[in-house]
Amino acid sequence: MTRHFVDHRRVKLVAGSGGKGACSFHSEPRKEWGGPDGGNGGDGGSIIIKADRVVRSLAQVVPVYKGENGEAGGSKNCYGRNGKPTYISVPLGTVVKELGKTVADLAVHGQEFLAAFGGTGGKGNRFFLSNENRAPMTATSGMDGQERVLQLELRTMAHAGLIGFPNAGKSSLLRAISNARPAVAAYPFTTLNPHVGIITYRDHEQVAVADIPGIIRGAHLNRGLGISFLRHIERCRFLLFVLDLSAPEPWTQLQHLCYELDRYDPGLSQRPQAVIANKMDLPEAREKLEILRNTVNQRVIPVSALTGQNTEELILHLRELYDGNGFGKPNKKPLSLKW
């Protein structure tokens, strides 16, 4: 059965309770006053959220997690066994929130967040032995485990994000420049989930490019699936605005896209960026390209995702943005690609 891409989960966590302490007295032949020997109970198992690069989605996260309880203490000063911790594996880039406030950002493989503490085990009557009380009858119960309700949000981890209106050719462009194979069709909203492609250079540096599903006007008001898509753009270090040159006035698309980004997160559209003029294989594209270059201040890279025209310039410019933001080492030799 195919698992759908899930980028948001609400989970209830109930850590394990501590085991109760034992109340017993040592009994042995010819040793009439053996004294108390009730052991402490074991601690309850905690719940830990762990980032795992193998996991791609939050689809495997279930709504409720219950930690393992600690075992009760026994006679002969035997302590109860602690409950085993429960691990929840989540993808890299998962943000943990509680009541709308971010409490953890899991961006590194193996990073852990102790989400719910297990309860402390109870004390056996041996613990209460003192000079004043040589035969204590007191034993305590274990404490309940911590209970929390958390929200998990996945934000795509990619260096660059392809941003544009539906049917602008983002998926086709991602197929042309990377190893990703998103679905391509001649109708809007072909992409409903983010796709990430990897571009590998000869010096073994890799740049991740995310195909963000199409943004529509009013996305910042959560029209369509706007907020879900805009959430992924927050994690992109630089932006690639893909404009459709088959539109009557493609330069207006850039204004609308920047407006939606800034309304969602002020200043989001000011990150390092480039404008990609797609569909250069169309007859009317040349004339619109000149108007676009005279209208916008950003660098404009004309490409054709259908024929692969000028994709090399785009890939090289991606590496320039990558190195300029401190990710890679500056190259003295001309950049080359590994296909």
Side-chain angles (χ1 to χ4, degrees):
M1 184 175 64
T2 303
R3 288 185 179 271
H4 297 283
F5 183 90
V6 177
D7 63 351
H8 185 272
R9 281 290 197 207
R10 180 180 180 273
V11 294
K12 180 180 180 180
L13 309 179
V14 182
S17 301
K20 64 180 181 179
C23 181
S24 65
F25 290 87
H26 184 71
S27 177
E28 187 177 344
R30 295 180 300 276
K31 193 173 183 180
E32 183 177 358
W33 307 103
D37 66 351
N40 299 338
D43 296 336
S46 300
I47 300 179
I48 301 172
I49 301 176
K50 184 176 182 179
D52 189 344
R53 60 169 167 257
V54 178
V55 181
R56 301 297 182 185
S57 170
L58 296 175
Q60 80 286 349
V61 178
V62 298
V64 180
Y65 284 90
K66 180 70 170 65
E68 182 178 341
N69 295 331
E71 289 187 351
S75 59
K76 299 182 181 179
N77 295 318
C78 290
Y79 282 34
R81 186 179 62 181
N82 296 334
K84 294 181 180 179
T86 301
Y87 286 90
I88 305 175
S89 297
V90 297
L92 301 184
T94 299
V95 176
V96 184
K97 294 184 177 181
E98 184 176 22
L99 301 176
K101 182 180 179 180
T102 300
V103 295
D105 189 352
L106 306 178
V108 181
H109 175 69
Q111 184 178 354
E112 297 181 356
F113 170 64
L114 184 54
F117 292 91
T120 305
K123 304 299 183 182
N125 65 335
R126 172 73 181 185
F127 177 82
F128 299 97
L129 177 65
S130 64
N131 291 332
E132 292 76 19
N133 188 2
R134 305 304 299 173
M137 299 291 294
T138 303
T140 61
S141 300
M143 297 181 62
D144 294 334
Q146 186 181 13
E147 184 173 335
R148 302 177 76 177
V149 176
L150 301 176
Q151 294 79 37
L152 305 181
E153 294 183 2
L154 174 60
R155 298 175 179 175
T156 302
M157 296 290 289
H159 301 106
L162 297 175
I163 304 169
F165 284 105
N167 220 19
K170 300 183 298 299
S171 298
S172 300
L173 185 60
L174 186 64
R175 292 173 66 99
I177 65 176
S178 72
N179 59 352
R181 292 295 176 265
V184 176
Y187 53 83
F189 296 108
T190 307
T191 302
L192 295 178
N193 303 312
H195 294 276
V196 179
I198 303 297
I199 303 175
T200 305
Y201 297 85
R202 284 210 180 271
D203 59 354
H204 304 293
E205 287 284 359
Q206 293 183 333
V207 177
V209 182
D211 173 20
I212 308 298
I215 303 298
I216 64 173
R217 296 181 184 180
H220 68 279
L221 301 175
N222 207 24
R223 293 178 181 173
L225 295 176
I227 298 299
S228 299
F229 297 162
L230 290 169
R231 186 185 303 124
H232 297 282
I233 301 176
E234 286 186 89
R235 303 288 280 192
C236 298
R237 300 302 179 91
F238 36 92
L239 311 177
L240 301 176
F241 292 99
V242 182
L243 305 185
D244 184 3
L245 291 186
S246 65
E249 295 181 347
W251 45 90
T252 61
Q253 296 182 2
L254 180 61
Q255 301 174 2
H256 294 305
L257 290 172
C258 291
Y259 175 79
E260 294 297 333
L261 266 59
D262 287 335
R263 294 289 291 179
Y264 172 74
D265 184 8
L268 183 58
S269 67
Q270 303 302 318
R271 295 184 181 181
Q273 60 188 257
V275 176
I276 303 174
N278 193 22
K279 303 185 181 181
M280 284 298 300
D281 53 290
L282 300 178
E284 66 275 13
R286 290 288 179 183
E287 180 180 354
K288 294 180 180 179
L289 176 63
E290 294 302 323
I291 301 176
L292 176 63
R293 281 176 167 167
N294 295 329
T295 304
V296 302
N297 298 323
Q298 298 92 326
R299 177 174 177 176
V300 178
I301 303 176
V303 299
S304 173
L306 180 63
T307 63
Q309 174 187 347
N310 206 33
T311 54
E312 294 83 2
E313 180 184 353
L314 172 58
I315 295 174
L316 294 177
H317 183 61
L318 272 173
R319 182 57 188 276
E320 294 175 3
L321 292 173
Y322 178 82
D323 292 336
N325 282 269
F327 291 104
K329 298 180 180 180
N331 284 318
K332 298 181 179 180
K333 298 181 180 180
L335 295 175
S336 56
L337 308 177
K338 179 181 178 182
W339 297 98

